[in-house]
Amino acid sequence: MMLTELRRSLHADPELGLELPRTQQRVLSALAGLPLEVTRGTTLSSVTAVLRGRPGSGGAPVVLLRADMDALPITEQADVPYRSRNPGAMHACGHDLHTAMLVGAAHLLCAARDDLPGDVILMFQPGEEGHDGAAKMISEGVLEAAGPQPVAAYALHVQSVRPSGMFATRSGPILSGHAQLRVTVHGKGGHGAAPHRALDPVTTMAEMITAVQSLVTRRFDAFDPVIVTVGHVSAGSHGTAIPSSAYFEATIRSYSEHHRAEATRLLTELINGIAAAHGTTADLGFDAELPVTVTDDAETGFAAGVVRDLYGAERFATMPHPHPASEDFSRVLAQVPGAFVFLGARPAGLDPGEAHENHSPFASFDDGVLHDGARLLAELAARRLNEAAVTAPSSSRVRPGPR
């Protein structure tokens, strides 16, 4: 299957969360006939495919390549002929491109199998968008799928606003850590004409929302920032009544594990203190927590060198700052050194000021980057295996017995 055809079929039929049966089947069909050891997830519809290198390379290095496959709960507004036919689901973050690229890399690597001095794990992951699918695949053994743990792991991510074909990455923190804060303020309901006889949770909640913004600007270093965004608020059912409770949700992003833990502590103190000052109480909790995505210095330098070698220095940029979004590929990079590379996919002819960000219902991506992304993934795996095989002790490069 051509990569563009696969990408567009995925785009037209997006699935959400951890269960992606149709997406999984498309990936399996696209990998059919290749010399891969394929397994499916048990608690999620993942696909793990292992490519064994040339005979006699057993016990040699392993490299992992990852693509996420799930969509977002968004109704698509982009005017494309392969527009999502599933209301409330859209590949607004480019995971359909990531999946097609990894399929393309699988075909390239299989064609070069006899030149590979080691094995490659292809990690097709559901549930990146808020479901921590990476953690679930790790718990099911994706990092041990080829035997030894990988010496390196790589992933690509397209960006709808970056010029098409431009690659970018950085070493160290590249994406923020994340946590979701959920707060319910409990007060005492009453008539809107007599607020002194009630304990208004709405005004208490409003004070909390304002106070958390002051907290992050006054208690955290501006050069190691914390971002708190309140994205959902709900209370009451009628303008003349004071409700008995109010609710809000916020995302917390940070670029160091120290500040992530400190934000949790300080926000808990602040919210409970404001609730007590108004005679109310607050139930709060943190979930959907992800660590900061931290790339390895050496692996990032290696990936940057491969990009420059393949496509020229003019198509690579070093990011001066981390990107403020979060990613569960951080789970993999917490255990395996690796790199995370952005790839611009802004459609040709689209003015930069008119391009819609990832996660927008109007987001669109250039299919022309599919082959470049597939080639980069394949080259990263092949070159890293060769590099590791050269530096590995000779005894580790021989697996006893026939393959």
Side-chain angles (χ1 to χ4, degrees), residues 23-400:
T23 301
Q24 182 188 56
Q25 189 53 55
R26 284 187 173 90
V27 169
L28 293 171
S29 296
L31 299 178
L34 297 179
L36 299 168
E37 300 170 9
V38 177
T39 56
R40 308 184 193 197
T42 56
T43 61
L44 71 172
S45 54
S46 60
V47 175
T48 300
V50 175
L51 172 63
R52 300 293 183 184
R54 62 175 176 248
S57 66
V62 175
V63 168
L64 181 144
L65 303 175
R66 177 270 205 163
D68 38 13
M69 305 191 295
D70 57 320
L72 282 156
I74 294 172
T75 296
E76 183 164 14
Q77 302 297 318
D79 185 18
V80 293
Y82 46 90
R83 179 174 172 169
S84 169
R85 58 176 180 261
N86 303 334
M90 176 191 175
H91 273 295
C93 203
H95 296 187
D96 48 343
L97 284 88
H98 304 164
T99 302
M101 289 175 186
L102 189 53
V103 166
H107 282 262
L108 292 171
L109 288 165
C110 287
R113 180 189 186 193
D114 290 343
D115 296 323
L116 298 179
D119 304 334
V120 182
I121 301 171
L122 307 171
M123 176 182 177
F124 292 90
Q125 180 210 309
E128 188 278 324
E129 297 289 356
H131 297 272
D132 211 353
K136 293 174 177 60
M137 287 193 72
I138 290 171
S139 70
E140 292 193 359
V142 67
L143 299 183
E144 296 79 36
Q149 182 156 303
V151 296
Y154 306 103
L156 293 181
H157 203 300
V158 294
Q159 290 183 304
S160 58
V161 296
R162 190 180 293 275
S164 185
M166 280 294 300
F167 296 88
T169 189
R170 73 188 308 273
S171 61
I174 189 170
L175 293 163
S176 69
H178 174 276
Q180 193 81 5
L181 168 65
R182 305 180 194 276
V183 180
T184 301
V185 183
H186 299 284
K188 179 183 176 183
H191 199 292
H196 59 291
R197 296 176 182 166
L199 293 172
D200 190 348
V202 177
T203 55
T204 304
M205 175 177 69
E207 186 173 326
M208 291 174 179
I209 291 171
T210 301
V212 298
Q213 301 304 323
S214 298
L215 174 74
V216 298
T217 62
R218 293 296 177 266
R219 298 297 296 272
F220 294 98
D221 187 341
F223 295 100
D224 186 6
V226 172
I227 301 169
V228 178
T229 300
V230 177
H232 176 70
V233 174
S234 62
S237 59
H238 197 275
T240 65
I242 295 172
S244 60
S245 65
Y247 176 80
F248 72 95
E249 294 179 9
T251 56
I252 304 160
R253 300 182 191 274
S254 59
Y255 299 96
S256 68
E257 288 306 301
H258 170 71
H259 272 186
R260 189 164 71 100
E262 189 69 356
T264 298
R265 182 182 71 81
L266 290 173
L267 286 167
T268 300
E269 290 180 358
L270 177 71
I271 290 166
N272 284 328
I274 292 173
H278 289 276
T280 63
T281 60
D283 292 333
L284 72 155
F286 299 86
D287 57 25
E289 294 184 272
L290 288 173
V292 179
T293 302
V294 181
T295 61
D296 178 79
D297 291 350
E299 296 299 342
T300 301
F302 170 77
V306 174
V307 171
R308 294 188 185 100
D309 188 40
L310 290 178
Y311 302 115
E314 67 279 4
R315 286 181 59 183
F316 177 78
T318 299
M319 297 166 60
H321 309 291
H323 192 280
S326 303
E327 246 278 0
D328 67 359
F329 191 59
S330 59
R331 302 289 192 191
V332 175
L333 295 183
Q335 299 190 43
V336 179
F340 189 86
V341 181
F342 287 104
L343 171 56
R346 189 177 74 222
L350 187 61
D351 185 270
E354 298 176 355
H356 294 274
E357 289 273 2
N358 289 33
H359 287 219
S360 165
F362 294 93
S364 58
F365 302 89
D366 179 13
D367 288 333
V369 304
L370 290 171
H371 290 88
D372 284 354
R375 184 185 178 199
L376 178 61
L377 287 171
E379 286 287 336
L380 286 171
R383 295 188 188 198
R384 187 65 181 86
L385 287 175
N386 278 289
E387 181 181 275
V390 168
T391 59
S394 59
S395 60
S396 69
R397 285 184 256 136
V398 178
R399 179 185 298 161

